[in-house]
Amino acid sequence: MRLLVVEDELRLARALQRGLTAEGYVVDLAADGPTGLETARHGEYDAVVLDIMLPGLSGYRIVQALREEGNWVPVLMLSAKDGEYDQADGLDAGADDYLTKPFSFVVLVARLRALLRRGAPERPAVLTAGSLRLDPATHRVTREGAEISLTAREYALLEYLMRRCDEVVTKTELLDHVWDVGADTDPNVVEVYVGYLRRKIDQPYGHKSLQTVRGAGYRLTCAGSTT
Ligand code: CA
């Protein structure tokens, strides 16, 4: 089992590497956020031990980036005890488990074993575009914290656009991915549904996040709030 430990406190990182190596794991270290993300992206790790407060990029951003890329490597997050961040934030961001510093090494190993037994779940992370949030696990959509009720088709359209935010998505792509393949569908249906979505996710909040790109298709801004 190969582990990645992303931790900028060198003494703690070395101690974890020594201890986990003695437990039979292969352990790589990364000492800052950007290196941690790159290493996690390209290495085939069975689990990642991830500090939250890191130079360059926080542990939250790292786990979010990995989940957005469809990387479901099990992540155990470590945080300082000061309570600046809480457990819910870490788990929201896509971590699988959480330990508060200082922790006992025995507990860390037990938690890691549990994570490794479970393996990487195919679990989608919450998508965001500005104040717009979409949780693929629960199909819940909110804007500025307020719940938005969408039909199944509107939901599927929004999810596809959010996964490809800031890209121009053509009507044909939307028909292929959101409507049944081979269905005898009038392409104008896309425009109709884009209109429905705008009336739910944008207009009541004064946003214009879902844009028509004339002659090309549609684009949802990742910032989610262009006016
Ligand atoms: Ca740190």
Side-chain angles (χ1 to χ4, degrees), residues 6-9 12 31 51-55 78 80 101:
V6 189
E7 170 59 74
D8 60 313
E9 290 165 53
L12 176 57
D51 188 29
I52 289 177
M53 298 297 284
L54 290 164
L78 306 178
K101 293 177 183 175

Side-chain angles (χ1 to χ4, degrees), residues 45-75:
Y45 291 103
D46 297 291
V48 176
V49 178
L50 184 59
D51 188 29
I52 289 177
M53 298 297 284
L54 290 164
L57 193 67
S58 78
Y60 290 136
R61 307 306 308 176
I62 292 174
V63 75
Q64 269 172 352
L66 290 173
R67 297 320 188 214
E68 278 165 20
E69 291 161 15
N71 185 329
W72 307 106
V73 62
V75 171

Side-chain angles (χ1 to χ4, degrees), residues 21-35:
T21 303
E23 293 286 323
Y25 298 105
V26 178
V27 182
D28 293 335
L29 294 182
D32 62 66
T35 309

